[in-house]
């Protein structure tokens, strides 16, 4: 169906960067949403990660919707950050705090 990965996990900062890629046949079926919901308690309770962050192209509406559905918040924009499909594209930065009581990104 695809993969989900965390990289750059640090014990001091207790954060990790999320990467997820789903095969086209798995997209739009709730697989990404369910995977992210299952990931949260595991990385929080086993690895003591307090925050997951990610980068997603601004034109990837389905992915943005999925991330927001599971509690990620937009916290930045990298303008013309990647070259894809013949043009430079914006990238949205998103984060999700896993531990209760930790403030979300400032506006």
């Amino acid at each position: 169906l695809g993969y989900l990965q965390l990289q750059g996990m640090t014990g001091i900062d207790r954060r990790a960067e999320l990467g997820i890629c789903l095969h086209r046949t798995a997209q739009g079926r709730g697989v990404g949403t369910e995977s992210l919901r299952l990931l949260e308690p595991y990385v929080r309770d086993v690895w003591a990660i307090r925050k997951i962050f990610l980068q997603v192209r601004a034109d990837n509406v389905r992915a943005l919707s999925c991330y927001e559905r599971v509690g990620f918040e937009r916290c930045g924009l990298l303008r013309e950050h990647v070259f894809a499909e013949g043009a430079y594209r914006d990238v949205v930065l998103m984060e999700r705090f896993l531990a209760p009581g930790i403030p979300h990104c400032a506006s």
Side-chain angles (χ1 to χ4, degrees):
L1 295 175
Y3 70 85
L4 184 142
Q5 69 182 24
L6 291 174
Q7 61 186 20
M9 292 172 49
T10 67
I12 294 172
D13 298 326
R14 296 177 43 216
R15 64 172 157 74
E17 183 172 8
L18 173 70
I20 184 170
C21 182
L22 296 177
H23 189 273
R24 289 183 197 274
T25 59
Q27 295 175 8
R29 296 180 20 210
V31 173
T33 301
E34 183 66 16
S35 297
L36 293 171
R37 286 191 175 134
L38 292 170
L39 175 73
E40 178 181 325
Y42 178 77
V43 299
R44 183 190 61 229
D45 300 342
V46 174
W47 294 100
I49 296 297
R50 66 178 189 88
K51 178 174 111 168
I52 298 174
F53 67 99
L54 60 88
Q55 300 180 36
V56 59
R57 273 184 33 190
D59 59 349
N60 191 341
V61 177
R62 288 174 76 179
L64 287 164
S65 176
C66 173
Y67 298 137
E68 289 172 337
R69 192 169 31 258
V70 297
F72 280 85
E73 294 183 359
R74 298 173 192 224
C75 60
L77 179 69
L78 300 171
R79 296 183 51 191
E80 298 182 11
H81 193 64
V82 296
F83 188 81
E85 300 165 0
Y88 287 97
R89 310 289 177 164
D90 293 349
V91 170
V92 175
L93 302 175
M94 302 183 83
E95 64 185 2
R96 169 133 171 80
F97 286 92
L98 306 181
I102 297 177
H104 297 330
C105 53
S107 299

